[in-house]
Amino acid sequence: MTAATGVMEIALIIAFLALALGQIMSMIRLVLGPTVGDRILALDTMVINGLGLVVVLGIHQGIQIYFEVSLLIAMLGFVSTVALARFVLRGDIIE
Amino acid sequence: MIDIIATYAAALSLLVGSGFVLVGAIGLLKFNDSMTRLHAPTKVGTVGIGMLLLGSMIDTFISGDTSIHELLIMAFLFVTAPISAHFIAKVNIHRRACDTPPAPPRDSTWSTLDSPEGESQ
């Protein structure tokens, strides 16, 4: 059991590192991004990476409350992406 | 015995998910066209986060109180990822950030095209 737990700890550390690296790379694309679409896409990817960070944090601490947090982040991320895209497309969010 | 197998399965799904997250972020950074860049991060939303949530489900199975609430987040992400990708593609077309679609063939069967001479549109 100890070997399996050690493998799980290493996998958790690798997942944290991969999500943090993905967050940093999306932030670089958010700063560089030549068009508005790239910036919206980078923000969407950052929200999804943050969702993954919350999920991995919930596995690490073994607390069930992180499920609600990640569900809320998923919904808000989708709504904000659609709102930004609609603002660029139509000049207005709710017509 | 089954706890050990489940722990290894959770670790494996975490590793696969983090690999997909990393690949998606590298694709977002390295591709050279707006529409091409749209392709990579959708894998982060579906496969990457899906595998992380699968690992979370297996982990709750190990610790005793099994919960399948994570399927809800997975279903929500699988439904909303194509919608947001479609909206971003529409933004790219609208801002002319890609090859624009070809002009429609010029036929005069539409009634609005048959305006009389000298009358402005």
Side-chain angles (χ1 to χ4, degrees), chain B residues 28-81:
Chain B
L28 176 67
L29 193 57
K30 295 294 282 184
F31 280 158
N32 53 3
D33 185 52
S34 287
M35 284 297 198
T36 323
R37 277 196 284 270
L38 190 55
H39 159 75
T42 51
K43 272 79 213 165
V44 180
T46 53
V47 186
I49 302 298
M51 289 308 260
L52 292 183
L53 289 169
L54 189 68
S56 174
M57 270 193 283
I58 298 173
D59 190 68
T60 56
F61 170 72
I62 296 165
S63 66
D65 47 346
T66 307
S67 77
I68 53 169
H69 297 303
E70 280 85 356
L71 280 178
L72 210 60
I73 308 175
M74 219 187 280
F76 186 80
L77 281 178
F78 272 53
V79 168
T80 58

Side-chain angles (χ1 to χ4, degrees), chain B residues 102-115 117 121:
Chain B
R106 192 67 190 168
D107 56 349
S108 58
T109 53
W110 290 90
S111 61
T112 53
L113 291 178
D114 291 337
S115 58
E117 290 293 324
Q121 290 284 336

Side-chain angles (χ1 to χ4, degrees), chain A residues 12-23:
Chain A
L12 276 175
I13 291 170
I14 290 175
F16 272 125
L17 281 178
L19 283 162
L21 269 176
Q23 197 83 294

Side-chain angles (χ1 to χ4, degrees), chain A residues 1 3-5 7-8 10-12 14-15 17-19 21-23 25-26 28-29 32 34-38 40-42 44-45 48-49 51-53 55-56 58-59 62 64 67 70-71 74-75 78 81-82 84-86 88-89, chain B residues 3-4 7-8 10-12 14-15 18-19 21-22 24-26 28-31 33-34 37-39 41 44-45 49 52-53 55-56 59-60 62 65 67 69-70 72-73 76-77 80-81 83-84 87-88 90-92 94-95 97:
Chain A
M1 192 63 197
T5 316
V7 169
M8 187 70 188
I10 293 171
L12 276 175
I14 290 175
L17 281 178
L19 283 162
L21 269 176
Q23 197 83 294
M25 283 191 247
S26 314
I28 292 172
R29 176 52 70 193
L32 289 180
T35 63
V36 184
D38 288 323
I40 299 174
L41 183 62
D44 190 44
T45 312
I48 287 177
N49 273 336
L51 170 71
L53 274 175
V55 169
V56 177
I59 299 175
Q64 288 285 322
F67 157 72
S70 44
L71 192 57
M75 287 180 176
F78 170 66
T81 303
V82 171
L84 269 172
R86 268 198 81 79
V88 174
L89 278 175
Chain B
D3 278 1
I4 298 174
T7 310
Y8 278 122
L12 185 67
L14 273 182
L15 287 180
S18 53
V21 166
L22 209 53
I26 290 172
L28 176 67
L29 193 57
K30 295 294 282 184
F31 280 158
D33 185 52
S34 287
R37 277 196 284 270
L38 190 55
H39 159 75
V44 180
I49 302 298
L52 292 183
L53 289 169
S56 174
D59 190 68
T60 56
I62 296 165
D65 47 346
S67 77
H69 297 303
E70 280 85 356
L72 210 60
I73 308 175
F76 186 80
L77 281 178
T80 58
I83 301 174
S84 52
F87 267 101
I88 294 169
K90 275 170 80 177
V91 167
N92 279 337
H94 180 70
R95 301 299 294 253

